[in-house]
Amino acid sequence: MPLLIAAALAAGLSAASPSHGPTLATEDTMFTSVPEVLVSAPRVTLAEILDRVARGEARRESLMTDQSFLLTLRVVRDARTPGRTPQLVSETVMRVYKKKPDRVRSLVLRRYEAKPKKGGVRFGVRLRPGMDEEIVNFAFRPEARREFRYRILGRDLLGDHLIYRIGFEPRSLLDPTMPKGTVWIDTNDFVIVRQEVAFDRSPAPPILKGVDRMVIERGNAGGYWVLKRVLLRVQTTLPLPNLGRSFDLTLRFDDIAINSGLADSLFAAGGSASR
């Protein structure tokens, strides 16, 4: 009861005046403070972070000898057009097998096209046999240091994972295909777990007006960091058949198995090129 009276007084109310809305009490009985701690250990420098990422990515690649996964390629139009419902244009599902040093095979399991049209745009994926996932770490390879600038954007603590956010941008503005972006680095393994890429100019004029967004995400599969999702949001200069002026292209990687001991005979029909 004393707490209720105190709350009423704090809200400027009396027992005789009716309440015209909710009554809020101000909590002033609890106070918590954390003493400052002087940390004498030197902070990790940006150059050292870049070195560790290069080593972490190389180690991630070296631990894998083969992969198999389910790859889904989806194209959706009008995903961001006001007043229009997003429409699935096409979807291709394939099973992919990869094995070092140079073997890769893909088998198409299902293909869907909303409006099959002769001369229309058909999307495909060129699969590389390596495990390096250059689409993720292209700007953080040792040989790329002279092509990009880097800066630390922040540090985040997620559970027992310390995540660095590192921004990168091209040193030269002459090449429109060179993007800028941000990566999220998990310092437990010093590998890139997420990347957002942007282009100041169209990477493929005059067909593309621009790439609004490109997001690349990795996931942990059995202790190995591998690709899980790639999203591109594209605008075109002219309407394309079945696509219009804008569309989203998404790659999803599911049912991932690492180092399962794929037999060489599995690649006999596929050789070193995807099918």
Side-chain angles (χ1 to χ4, degrees), residues 111-207:
R111 177 175 283 131
Y112 164 82
E113 293 184 19
K115 296 180 180 180
K117 184 177 180 180
K118 186 177 180 180
V121 179
R122 171 172 284 189
F123 292 88
V125 180
R126 180 63 180 175
L127 299 167
R128 302 173 67 239
M131 311 286 175
D132 54 344
E133 296 182 350
E134 187 176 356
I135 190 175
V136 181
N137 57 39
F138 66 91
F140 289 80
R141 295 168 172 266
E143 62 270 21
R145 296 276 189 93
R146 58 181 174 270
E147 298 178 356
F148 292 92
R149 296 188 182 92
Y150 310 87
R151 59 193 179 100
I152 299 175
L153 301 179
R155 301 171 178 85
D156 306 298
L157 188 61
L158 302 177
D160 60 346
H161 293 252
L162 177 61
I163 308 296
Y164 277 92
R165 285 180 286 117
I166 305 295
F168 64 93
E169 61 182 5
R171 295 181 182 273
S172 173
L173 301 178
L174 298 179
D175 187 355
T177 65
M178 296 285 283
K180 63 181 180 181
T182 303
V183 298
W184 283 253
I185 298 167
D186 189 328
T187 58
N188 283 15
D189 300 300
F190 272 95
V191 297
I192 299 169
V193 297
R194 178 183 171 87
Q195 180 174 225
E196 292 188 2
V197 175
F199 295 86
D200 289 332
R201 295 174 292 167
S202 170
I207 299 175

Side-chain angles (χ1 to χ4, degrees), residues 12-171:
L13 302 175
S14 65
S17 59
S19 173
H20 297 287
T23 302
L24 302 178
T26 302
E27 178 58 68
D28 59 0
T29 60
M30 297 181 63
F31 178 77
T32 303
S33 65
V34 179
E36 295 182 356
V37 177
L38 179 63
V39 178
S40 58
R43 174 169 286 186
V44 179
T45 65
L46 176 58
E48 187 173 357
I49 293 173
L50 298 178
D51 289 340
R52 292 187 183 185
V53 171
R55 293 195 299 269
E57 288 287 328
R59 181 178 181 274
R60 185 204 71 86
E61 178 186 356
S62 68
L63 293 175
M64 292 183 287
T65 57
D66 63 60
Q67 290 186 21
S68 65
F69 50 85
L70 201 65
L71 174 60
T72 303
L73 168 63
R74 305 181 83 235
V75 180
V76 178
R77 63 172 294 175
D78 297 329
R80 293 158 291 118
T81 304
R84 292 193 177 183
T85 302
Q87 299 179 4
L88 177 63
V89 175
S90 66
E91 180 179 79
T92 302
V93 180
M94 62 182 72
R95 171 65 66 178
V96 179
Y97 305 93
K98 302 172 71 174
K99 185 176 182 179
K100 285 183 176 178
D102 58 356
R103 295 177 180 257
V104 59
R105 185 183 183 189
S106 63
L107 302 174
V108 176
L109 305 180
R110 184 176 72 253
R111 177 175 283 131
Y112 164 82
E113 293 184 19
K115 296 180 180 180
K117 184 177 180 180
K118 186 177 180 180
V121 179
R122 171 172 284 189
F123 292 88
V125 180
R126 180 63 180 175
L127 299 167
R128 302 173 67 239
M131 311 286 175
D132 54 344
E133 296 182 350
E134 187 176 356
I135 190 175
V136 181
N137 57 39
F138 66 91
F140 289 80
R141 295 168 172 266
E143 62 270 21
R145 296 276 189 93
R146 58 181 174 270
E147 298 178 356
F148 292 92
R149 296 188 182 92
Y150 310 87
R151 59 193 179 100
I152 299 175
L153 301 179
R155 301 171 178 85
D156 306 298
L157 188 61
L158 302 177
D160 60 346
H161 293 252
L162 177 61
I163 308 296
Y164 277 92
R165 285 180 286 117
I166 305 295
F168 64 93
E169 61 182 5
R171 295 181 182 273

